[in-house]
Amino acid sequence: DAKTTQPPSMDCAEGRAANLPCNHSTISGNEYVYWYRQIHSQGPQYIIHGLKNNETNEMASLIITEDRKSSTLILPHATLRDTAVYYCIVKDHPMYSGGGADGLTFGKGTHLIIQP
Amino acid sequence: EAQVTQNPRYLITVTGKKLTVTCSQNMNHEYMSWYRQDPGLGLRQIYYSMNVEVTDKGDVPEGYKVSRKEKRNFPLILESPSPNQTSLYFCASRGLFQAFFGQGTRLTVV
């Protein structure tokens, strides 16, 4: 799996858009970009994933650069409840991985703090 | 509602006393796994299961056992717990793209 690089921490004002960057310069063609978050000691929560097109769901938007070497997770109107550690994970789809060990590899993530 | 349920949420035990942490999912997922989370080390996979009766080691399997006798349940067994297994444990169940995690079990071994 490709490695990812994220800033260790970020601040954002409540009500503003939070833009979390992730670098994954060694991503390969069949690897997806996944975002999860973990709110203090709770189980990680899936946010969104994408392959090469930009994606949007009820929680967030995912912008992937054309060369796929980086991406940005956007929380459009951050609230205090969005304070969490956000993990960017690059991984191929299980159908390509041959069914072997394909657990998610969580790095250190970005600690996003929403300020009131 | 899609759910992964772990029990217990908190457990304090003594060294050497066998314990089981249960995990159950209601999504009919084939793939389930266990993680532990420690300060500074992040989340690490202990064991995973691709389907009933199919289990394999993750990154940190020493001191743990699992079983998968039915699709919905994937218990984590510590036959002889030691203090270095004090940790926060998460069970996960994965669908096509999305993994669902339980709320965690905070285990302290004294």
Side-chain angles (χ1 to χ4, degrees), chain B residues 27-43:
Chain B
M27 295 162 280
N28 202 37
H29 288 160
E30 292 180 350
Y31 186 96
M32 297 183 73
S33 57
W34 277 100
Y35 293 81
R36 62 178 287 175
Q37 186 170 31
D38 303 289
L41 296 176
L43 282 144

Side-chain angles (χ1 to χ4, degrees), chain B residues 1 4 13 23 28 31 34-35 44 46 55 57 79 92:
Chain B
E1 179 191 355
V4 177
T13 190
C23 175
N28 202 37
Y31 186 96
W34 277 100
Y35 293 81
R44 296 176 293 169
I46 303 170
T55 64
K57 297 176 181 178
E79 294 266 1

Side-chain angles (χ1 to χ4, degrees), chain A residues 32 34 36 38 41-46 49 87 93-95 99-108, chain B residues 31 35 37 40-43 45 48 50 57 88 90 94-104 106:
Chain A
Y32 287 75
Y34 296 86
Y36 283 77
Q38 186 175 24
S41 294
Q42 295 181 20
Q45 177 189 23
Y46 165 86
H49 75 277
Y87 299 98
H93 190 277
M95 72 173 72
D102 67 319
L104 297 167
T105 301
F106 290 84
K108 295 192 186 303
Chain B
Y31 186 96
Y35 293 81
Q37 186 170 31
L41 296 176
L43 282 144
Q45 191 182 50
Y48 66 96
M50 301 293 290
K57 297 176 181 178
L88 179 58
F90 292 104
R94 196 199 69 214
L96 191 59
F97 284 103
Q98 181 179 350
F100 297 82
F101 286 79
Q103 284 304 298
R106 189 169 291 280

Side-chain angles (χ1 to χ4, degrees), chain B residues 27-88:
Chain B
M27 295 162 280
N28 202 37
H29 288 160
E30 292 180 350
Y31 186 96
M32 297 183 73
S33 57
W34 277 100
Y35 293 81
R36 62 178 287 175
Q37 186 170 31
D38 303 289
L41 296 176
L43 282 144
R44 296 176 293 169
Q45 191 182 50
I46 303 170
Y47 266 94
Y48 66 96
S49 170
M50 301 293 290
N51 211 329
V52 175
E53 302 291 1
V54 181
T55 64
D56 209 343
K57 297 176 181 178
D59 299 319
V60 289
E62 294 76 23
Y64 304 95
K65 285 177 55 177
V66 291
S67 71
R68 189 89 182 274
K69 292 182 167 45
E70 49 192 341
K71 190 180 272 191
R72 65 181 293 121
N73 295 323
F74 189 44
L76 179 70
I77 303 155
L78 285 72
E79 294 266 1
S80 183
S82 63
N84 65 12
Q85 292 178 298
T86 292
S87 188
L88 179 58

